[in-house]
Amino acid sequence: MALLTGKKLLITGISSTRSIAYGIAKACHEEGAELILTYNNERFRERLERFANDFGAVGVIQLNVASDESIQACADQVKAIWSEGFDGFVHSIAWAPREAIEGSFLEGLSREGFLSAINISAYSFAALGKAFLPQLEGHNASLVCMSFLGAEKVVPNYNTMGVAKAALEAVTRYMAADLGAKGIRVNALSSGPIRTLAASGIKDFQKMLAHARDVSPLRQTITIDDIGRSTAFLLSDYARGITAETIYVDAGFHAMAGQVQTDEQKE
């Protein structure tokens, strides 16, 4: 039997076939889950409907996490499809203005940009958990969000997004403590750098990618399929003992001190 047979899961954040959320939806579908997909605005609707066909999804719902009304409307539509509740969701949503993810942290800082990044990248995870809670109770549900090493280490040009990801990881722990008595698990998955459309907006991302490949113990970069399979595990009953954690899926990059490789290591 597949890992997620019988599970009903909501996947947010797919924008293209290069999205981390696309890799997650693909893995969850392959492992037998029934899916609902969300899209941010009408520009993505037709594309998400195509993906829904690929994954046999039972619904495609608009979700703008910057709007409380949109979050509640999404919750209502999910309930209309899965009237008896569902088994978890994936939060793969993040945003910061371009000037906040390049160059100097302080030079790119603005009150509006900072608050927007926190709102969309961190607050929204908790807001979705609150809105969906009545439908998740009694299902031993699993909630997973996407983080990055910039949440705890200074990553050049990541800046305000690093602060937002740090907030997201804190939200994960507090949600886990709040929901654990209800049998609901909450975890963050911290991926290595991945060549996605969103990552292309980070200055010098190619250098970051090459550095991660050269320094990580596995001497490789991570793919959306790697993240998809790891997320599917966290959503499954095989991970019933894991909550309030930030799980690294980065080929071991987070454990290294950034040393330069010797010729022997390169070989």
Side-chain angles (χ1 to χ4, degrees):
M1 184 165 54
L3 201 62
L4 296 172
T5 297
K7 298 288 188 183
K8 296 178 173 63
L9 302 169
L10 177 79
I11 311 293
T12 72
I14 302 177
S15 60
S16 76
T17 56
R18 293 170 58 187
S19 299
I20 287 175
Y22 183 91
I24 294 170
K26 177 173 177 282
C28 290
H29 170 62
E30 290 172 350
E31 292 296 338
E34 183 174 285
L35 304 178
I36 289 176
L37 310 180
T38 73
Y39 63 95
N40 181 41
N41 56 53
E42 284 299 317
R43 182 163 64 97
F44 294 102
R45 179 173 184 169
E46 184 176 341
R47 187 182 306 174
L48 264 292
E49 288 174 345
R50 292 199 304 271
F51 295 158
N53 288 332
D54 294 341
F55 301 139
V58 297
V60 177
I61 299 172
Q62 185 171 10
L63 172 62
N64 173 9
V65 296
S67 163
D68 290 335
E69 291 75 15
S70 180
I71 290 173
Q72 187 56 54
C74 179
D76 291 342
Q77 290 177 70
V78 170
K79 185 175 182 180
I81 297 171
W82 289 329
S83 59
E84 296 182 358
F86 63 108
D87 303 289
F89 68 83
V90 174
H91 177 280
S92 185
I93 299 170
W95 182 86
R98 180 171 294 275
E99 65 272 14
I101 51 173
E102 62 181 17
S104 164
F105 168 61
L106 291 179
E107 286 180 4
L109 184 70
S110 70
R111 185 181 301 276
E112 181 180 4
F114 187 94
L115 295 178
S116 293
I118 294 290
N119 181 25
I120 294 172
S121 308
Y123 172 79
S124 63
F125 185 38
L128 291 179
K130 184 174 182 177
F132 289 128
L133 180 56
Q135 301 176 60
L136 297 169
E137 289 187 274
H139 288 267
N140 290 324
S142 176
L143 318 182
V144 182
C145 66
M146 296 296 116
S147 191
F148 180 63
L149 186 60
E152 61 173 288
K153 306 287 186 183
V154 175
V155 174
N157 300 310
Y158 205 58
N159 298 346
T160 297
M161 185 56 74
V163 177
K165 290 296 188 182
L168 178 64
E169 291 186 7
V171 165
T172 296
R173 292 187 290 272
Y174 278 91
M175 286 177 66
D178 211 29
L179 299 178
K182 300 178 185 295
I184 299 172
R185 297 177 293 112
V186 189
N187 292 291
L189 191 153
S190 183
S191 79
I194 296 179
R195 190 181 285 109
T196 63
L197 290 176
S200 66
I202 301 173
K203 185 180 179 183
D204 293 330
F205 179 76
Q206 289 301 118
K207 293 180 181 178
M208 184 190 304
L209 198 67
H211 178 67
R213 178 197 62 218
D214 294 342
V215 170
S216 66
L218 292 180
R219 304 291 187 265
Q220 67 185 42
T221 54
I222 297 301
T223 68
I224 62 172
D225 290 328
D226 294 324
I227 301 303
R229 287 187 286 266
S230 297
T231 304
F233 165 73
L234 287 175
L235 291 166
S236 79
D237 291 338
Y238 281 93
R240 284 299 308 156
I242 302 174
T243 195
E245 292 289 347
T246 296
I247 307 294
Y248 296 94
V249 183
D250 63 357
F253 178 63
H254 71 280
M256 307 305 287
Q259 76 272 22
V260 177
Q261 291 177 278
T262 64
D263 290 339
E264 289 81 5
Q265 287 174 314
K266 291 179 181 178
E267 292 174 358

